[in-house]
Amino acid sequence: MRTPNAARHAAAGTSSLAQRFQQVRSQTERLVQPLSAEDCQLQSMPDASPAKWHLAHLTWFFETFVLERFEKDFRPFDASFRVLFNSYYNGVGDKYPRPQRGLISRPTLQQVLAYRAEVDERVQTLLRRTPAGPAENELAQLLTLGLHHEQQHQELLLTDIKHALSFNPARPAYAGHWPLAGISPQPLRWMGFEGGLLEHGFDPAMDGAFAFDNETPRHKVYVAPFDIGHRLVTNGEMMAFMADGGYRRPELWLAMGWDWVQGTGATMPLYWQMPDTQNGPYRNFTLQGLVQVDPHTPVCHLSYFEANAYAGWAGARLPTEFEWELAARSVSAPPGQRAEGNFVEGGAYHPIPLQQRSTGHPAQMFGDVWEWTQSNYNPYPGYKPWEGLVGEYNGKFMCNQFVLRGGSCATPQSHIRASYRNFFPPEAQWQFSGLRLARDGAGAQDA
């Protein structure tokens, strides 16, 4: 396996890696604490997975890629788990059908938690006993990848349980604290960037020691002058689109997008509900239950089709991922520091309105909502998958998907960076996905 700057992780020592392993693994279990065993069994659609499956799959990853590789006299916790909790690693072997994960009633949640506890202890023992040298370096690489993989699933766990709970007519809340407070709304401002022939992609000097394979290699890209919105598009702006017949006007939609509207009957973002009275407010389901839609909060749970249609209606477009990264570099945290924003650690589990006044730089670039870009999810020039079984990690999905950037309110803060590339098919809505506007030409002015 080839991961960037792997030696830096090994040099940090096994003690710090053991501490991080414990922190990340514990965070996953804290996220399931508000859930009952019945909640953890729910699978609401083929693209989502039960919380119990996430807990087991993340443990399967460390058992399969770490313990099986390094542990002397390795024995699996349960041989059947190799198939049950494999996701898409064809090189590992057979997989249980993804749409049927909710049917896996055995092992029980308690057995899965016991599986996690045993594998965690065995990994910690392995860290203590592995001598310095090439084996330690390789172990550090795989563990670091596994921890970032776990952080990806921490976000998926929240988005999947939100989707599942939304079908309950009682509209149960996952969290009790509602994060919104009164703010002064801000008109959209445009921030101008000159562009040019620029280096693009993962840079350890700016992004830290780790990146996924799809963020590399760093390469040159020409970016024409462009403007980008200083904040995210809000619920109130989406309501104006809806009031102007946005979901009923085929000229605003891509052909596939209009087919999607016609096929799904979409008239508003996912989780929204029509007002109870003629002049009543829209409501939407959140991880805090059913609440009134706040007009100043960033709109989320949009498909690419919806984001693209709104941008065209607004006289703008979606940014390319190259434009987005250039804008994000202007506000990125220095190396060794975490990006600022509304992340999962804040406990909001929901986007929040822009709080600070415009500073001359784009705001809300990290956290709150994943931002759709107009860029297809393709490999960078010179891209090569990692070696070994983990080579299946990202490259095999580079088809029929679009790139999203920036992280969301469900993303762990230490997981995101300016070079990070998320990707989903254009119809996906259940992630915390929203948008920021862009347009051709440079210059900053009020919209």
Side-chain angles (χ1 to χ4, degrees):
M1 184 183 83
R2 295 180 303 226
T3 58
N5 299 281
R8 297 188 182 192
H9 291 289
T14 56
S15 60
S16 61
L17 189 55
Q19 183 179 20
R20 175 161 169 75
F21 180 82
Q22 178 62 34
Q23 290 171 343
V24 172
R25 296 285 284 172
S26 297
Q27 171 67 7
T28 305
E29 295 184 14
R30 283 193 294 272
L31 290 174
V32 300
Q33 284 180 354
L35 304 176
S36 67
E38 291 82 4
D39 291 332
C40 291
Q41 187 65 38
L42 296 174
Q43 183 180 20
S44 52
M45 63 172 175
D47 285 340
S49 298
K52 186 178 76 175
W53 186 91
H54 285 294
L55 290 169
H57 166 70
L58 293 168
T59 306
W60 170 95
F61 187 97
F62 288 107
E63 182 183 50
T64 302
F65 294 117
V66 176
L67 294 182
E68 187 172 330
R69 167 69 179 83
F70 293 99
E71 191 178 52
K72 186 179 180 180
D73 301 323
F74 167 81
R75 289 186 179 182
F77 180 89
D78 186 315
S80 69
F81 289 5
R82 189 176 179 88
V83 173
L84 279 180
F85 302 120
N86 184 4
S87 55
Y88 55 75
Y89 295 90
N90 296 315
V92 173
D94 293 335
K95 305 175 296 298
Y96 185 83
R98 180 173 182 170
Q100 299 175 23
R101 289 172 181 170
L103 300 178
I104 305 174
S105 60
R106 311 284 179 87
T108 65
L109 177 61
Q110 289 304 311
Q111 289 171 318
V112 166
L113 292 174
Y115 176 40
R116 285 181 66 89
E118 178 176 310
V119 168
D120 284 0
E121 177 56 35
R122 289 165 63 179
V123 169
Q124 294 286 16
T125 299
L126 188 64
L127 280 168
R128 291 192 297 268
R129 294 179 178 176
T130 302
E136 182 188 45
N137 293 347
E138 186 180 355
L139 173 61
Q141 292 178 46
L142 286 168
L143 279 174
T144 300
L145 172 62
L147 293 175
H148 281 276
H149 170 253
E150 180 133 357
Q151 288 183 309
Q152 289 180 311
H153 277 267
Q154 288 171 356
E155 179 162 3
L156 288 169
L157 192 154
L158 287 173
T159 54
D160 290 357
I161 195 63
K162 179 176 182 178
H163 193 265
L165 292 177
S166 72
F167 288 91
N168 189 322
R171 301 295 188 266
Y174 166 86
H177 172 66
W178 182 236
L180 300 191
I183 59 105
S184 299
Q186 298 187 33
L188 177 67
R189 290 184 59 84
W190 293 101
M191 302 291 171
F193 289 84
E194 294 182 359
L197 186 61
L198 306 170
E199 292 283 337
H200 177 79
F202 172 71
D203 183 343
M206 295 187 288
D207 298 312
F210 175 83
F212 287 112
D213 56 345
N214 64 358
E215 301 170 52
T216 64
R218 191 162 173 82
H219 59 286
K220 290 185 181 296
V221 175
Y222 176 74
V223 178
F226 69 97
D227 300 334
I228 198 165
H230 90 287
R231 59 161 172 79
L232 299 165
V233 172
T234 65
N235 288 327
E237 289 164 333
M238 192 67 188
M239 285 189 278
F241 169 79
M242 293 159 56
D244 196 37
Y247 282 88
R248 302 189 303 274
R249 295 170 55 183
E251 72 273 15
L252 297 175
W253 296 79
L254 296 167
M256 288 180 62
W258 186 244
D259 290 343
W260 176 82
V261 170
Q262 297 296 99
T264 62
T267 59
M268 62 189 74
L270 182 66
Y271 300 128
W272 284 33
Q273 293 186 5
M274 290 291 291
D276 293 332
T277 62
Q278 182 175 357
N279 297 317
Y282 286 94
R283 296 185 296 171
N284 68 328
F285 180 75
T286 72
L287 284 168
Q288 292 80 9
L290 193 63
V291 302
Q292 182 174 324
V293 172
D294 175 74
H296 309 308
T297 296
V299 63
C300 66
H301 297 298
L302 296 183
S303 67
Y304 174 86
F305 296 136
E306 291 167 294
N308 185 75
Y310 174 87
W313 173 83
R317 59 174 174 80
L318 298 177
T320 68
E321 66 166 314
F322 311 114
E323 292 170 337
W324 187 96
E325 185 171 316
L326 176 58
R329 294 289 184 197
S330 70
V331 295
S332 293
Q337 297 184 23
R338 296 179 179 180
E340 294 185 3
N342 171 27
F343 296 103
V344 70
E345 290 84 356
Y349 307 123
H350 193 74
I352 58 176
L354 179 60
Q355 304 293 316
Q356 70 271 25
R357 283 293 178 184
S358 176
T359 61
H361 297 284
Q364 298 176 301
M365 295 297 294
F366 299 99
D368 284 308
V369 300
W370 286 102
E371 302 178 34
W372 285 107
T373 74
Q374 62 173 265
S375 296
N376 293 310
Y377 179 51
N378 291 324
Y380 288 163
Y383 167 81
K384 292 182 180 180
W386 288 330
E387 296 174 348
L389 294 176
V390 293
E392 295 187 77
Y393 202 89
N394 278 316
K396 65 193 295 181
F397 299 111
M398 292 176 175
C399 179
N400 296 336
Q401 312 214 54
F402 285 87
V403 174
L404 301 93
R405 294 300 200 107
S408 81
C409 56
T411 304
Q413 188 177 24
S414 64
H415 183 61
I416 202 66
R417 54 198 163 269
S419 61
Y420 194 109
R421 305 173 80 200
N422 202 353
F423 54 92
F424 281 101
E427 68 274 11
Q429 291 177 289
W430 92 109
Q431 293 301 309
F432 286 95
S433 49
L435 77 151
R436 181 186 303 269
L437 296 178
R439 66 184 185 185
D440 298 339
Q445 58 182 327
D446 289 331

